[in-house]
Amino acid sequence: MHPAPASTPENGKSGNRNSLYLQVLVGIVLGGTLGYIKPDWGVALRPLGDAFVSLVKMLIGPIIFTTVVVGLAGMGDLKKVGRVGAKALIYFELVTTLALIIGLVVANVFHPGAGFHADPATLDASSVARYTSAAGQMTTTEFLLHIIPKTFVSAFAEGEILQILLLAILFGLALGRIGEHGRPVLNLMNEVARVFFGIVSIVTRAAPLAAAGAMAFTIGEYGVGKLAQLGFLLACVYLTCAIFIVVVLGTISRLAGFGLFKIIRYVKEELLLVLGTSSSESALPGLMEKMERIGCARPVVGIVVPSGYSFNLDGTCIYLTLAALFVAQATGTNLTLTEQLGLLAVLLLTSKGAAGVTGSGFIVLAATLAATGKIPVAGMTLILGVDRFMSEARAITNFIGNAVATLVVAKWDNAFDESKAGEILLKKRTG
């Protein structure tokens, strides 16, 4: 059972993608300018970005399900699925641990919180109460049990990516085991996948407007004054993310035989979408389509990309260590090396335990500070105003990290077609 792929390269698409790239870029610039000149107007445009992200999120579940089912039905081997999943998780754990360590080192070298002298007793913790309450709602064990949905339909209704992935793996393997009897269902799934990717193509046309609205809201709501106030912390986060992308992900890509900047150019439209909406989920369908088009086997794309959105959050890990130590430094909380290593150990757990939750970066930070018992959780109020700006760095780093992870795992598992990659990358080089 080897059906045709749900999405294939088409002549003329390159021009459309380049046009969208420019439109999104213009949207970001115009939106930011409007938010700066007319903050009230900028805030009023928030629904544009929120509506677009919601439109994309409603498509993520069906796309993951149909893509994984069609891919695994052709594979039909539980051992192969387990092998891909194990390789992906090993890669995720190694790279995210490295991201946490790099964030820890940068915070100790540059001390972004030094000089604030904030008194925890005078900080108003009510503004972060909803994050601290959410942080206590799910332990690591509960998170793992939460992967199993209450019903088949509830996973889709609630938009739980890992639950949908579990259902898709079971459905795809079962479909593959019944052989020719399952071919009508498999053909149907393949055509349904085409339809959903077609819907994504339609929805994506609104990306420039969404990016403009989201950027106008961000600048209008928080203003450039917040950027100046906590500029050093923002600079540390953006610089560390840039170093991680260029040095760490660049080295990994080079060792795997890929050029990092070629990968970035290949997904530039999705990257601008992530930048405009501050959400890497808005580009998940596009990433899955492009990874398959560039030569990654569909089962690998179907397993690595969705699970990476929960377990391979490199940018979030960098943010967590920098933000935690910033709060400690700003409130005069001295941490020994042993305590910092303990913080790192806590982050290794909490950075996975609340994945997929809206505002997960801030929620995980609250859970981490509460777990240390030493860093005041109320200190999070110091960075609440600029968290939205840092979320863009997190989202971009997470997105690039998952693109690299998919390529690396595909090649690692001998599930990568180099002829497709060479053709697409050569096309990019020659324009």
Side-chain angles (χ1 to χ4, degrees):
M1 299 172 72
H2 298 283
S7 56
T8 55
E10 298 176 13
N11 294 331
K13 266 195 173 183
S14 177
N16 293 334
R17 289 197 301 268
N18 288 333
S19 175
L20 180 65
Y21 171 84
L22 292 175
Q23 290 173 24
V24 172
L25 185 60
V26 170
I28 291 172
V29 173
L30 292 179
T33 303
L34 178 63
Y36 177 72
I37 297 174
K38 293 286 187 180
D40 292 342
W41 292 9
V43 172
L45 291 178
R46 178 177 186 173
L48 293 178
D50 291 348
F52 179 80
V53 173
S54 296
L55 280 171
V56 175
K57 282 186 175 181
M58 78 175 184
L59 299 171
I60 288 175
I63 285 174
I64 290 174
F65 185 79
T66 54
T67 301
V68 175
V69 167
V70 171
L72 294 187
M75 182 185 287
D77 188 346
L78 187 59
K79 290 183 179 179
K80 291 181 180 179
V81 177
R83 185 181 67 230
V84 172
K87 288 178 179 179
L89 289 176
I90 291 171
Y91 175 91
F92 295 162
E93 194 61 40
L94 290 174
V95 177
T96 53
T97 300
L98 188 57
L100 289 169
I101 293 172
I102 290 174
L104 201 70
V105 171
V106 170
N108 279 283
V109 171
F110 292 102
H111 299 281
F116 266 72
H117 306 298
D119 183 359
T122 63
L123 296 173
D124 181 12
S126 61
S127 57
V128 296
R130 67 189 180 99
Y131 297 104
T132 55
S133 61
Q137 289 175 0
M138 189 179 294
T139 64
T140 302
T141 301
E142 290 170 337
F143 168 72
L144 294 175
L145 291 175
H146 185 66
I147 295 175
I148 304 173
K150 295 182 181 67
T151 67
F152 194 96
V153 178
S154 68
F156 294 91
E158 297 169 8
E160 295 285 351
I161 291 179
L162 292 182
Q163 292 182 1
I164 294 168
L165 181 59
L166 174 63
L167 292 174
I169 290 173
L170 295 174
F171 195 102
L173 290 174
L175 187 60
R177 286 168 65 91
I178 61 177
E180 287 301 315
H181 294 288
R183 181 165 291 280
V185 178
L186 181 59
N187 290 337
L188 175 63
M189 284 289 177
N190 194 49
E191 296 308 315
V192 170
R194 290 180 185 273
V195 171
F196 277 107
F197 276 111
I199 297 174
V200 169
S201 178
I202 295 171
V203 170
T204 303
R205 294 179 183 178
L209 193 61
M215 187 58 67
F217 164 75
T218 300
I219 301 296
E221 175 73 11
Y222 301 108
V224 293
K226 288 287 186 182
L227 289 173
Q229 184 181 354
L230 294 169
F232 192 40
L233 173 62
L234 286 171
C236 284
V237 171
Y238 274 84
L239 179 63
T240 307
C241 286
I243 292 173
F244 181 84
I245 291 171
V246 174
V247 178
V248 177
L249 296 182
T251 300
I252 292 172
S253 300
R254 188 163 57 251
L255 291 175
F258 303 106
L260 175 67
F261 292 103
K262 292 177 182 177
I263 297 172
I264 291 175
R265 282 199 301 270
Y266 181 59
V267 295
K268 63 183 180 181
E269 295 87 1
E270 287 74 18
L271 275 174
L272 273 180
L273 193 56
V274 172
L275 175 64
T277 60
S278 295
S279 169
S280 57
E281 281 191 350
S282 63
L284 186 150
L287 178 61
M288 293 184 71
E289 183 182 12
K290 282 193 170 181
M291 288 298 101
E292 187 178 339
R293 189 189 305 153
I294 206 175
C296 298
R298 182 180 296 180
V300 174
V301 174
I303 293 173
V304 177
V305 174
S307 58
Y309 267 66
S310 288
F311 296 106
N312 189 38
L313 305 175
D314 304 329
T316 302
C317 288
I318 290 170
Y319 158 81
L320 288 171
T321 45
L322 278 170
L325 289 185
F326 170 84
V327 172
Q329 293 165 3
T331 56
T333 306
N334 295 318
L335 297 177
T336 64
L337 178 60
T338 302
E339 288 172 330
Q340 290 192 32
L341 292 176
L343 174 67
L344 184 67
V346 171
L347 283 168
L348 286 172
L349 297 174
T350 56
S351 62
K352 309 297 188 297
V357 180
T358 302
S360 61
F362 224 59
I363 292 171
V364 170
L365 179 59
T368 303
L369 298 187
T372 63
K374 188 169 183 179
I375 305 174
V377 179
M380 291 172 57
T381 58
L382 296 171
I383 60 175
L384 184 59
V386 294
D387 184 69
R388 174 82 182 193
F389 294 103
M390 289 189 285
S391 71
E392 292 166 351
R394 296 197 300 261
I396 289 172
T397 308
N398 291 341
F399 182 82
I400 296 175
N402 280 314
V404 172
T406 307
L407 290 166
V408 170
V409 174
K411 193 160 187 181
W412 187 4
D413 199 57
N414 295 318
F416 183 75
D417 187 344
E418 293 191 7
S419 63
K420 289 185 179 180
E423 178 185 347
I424 292 174
L425 292 177
L426 180 61
K427 186 177 180 182
K428 290 291 178 184
R429 286 198 300 268
T430 57

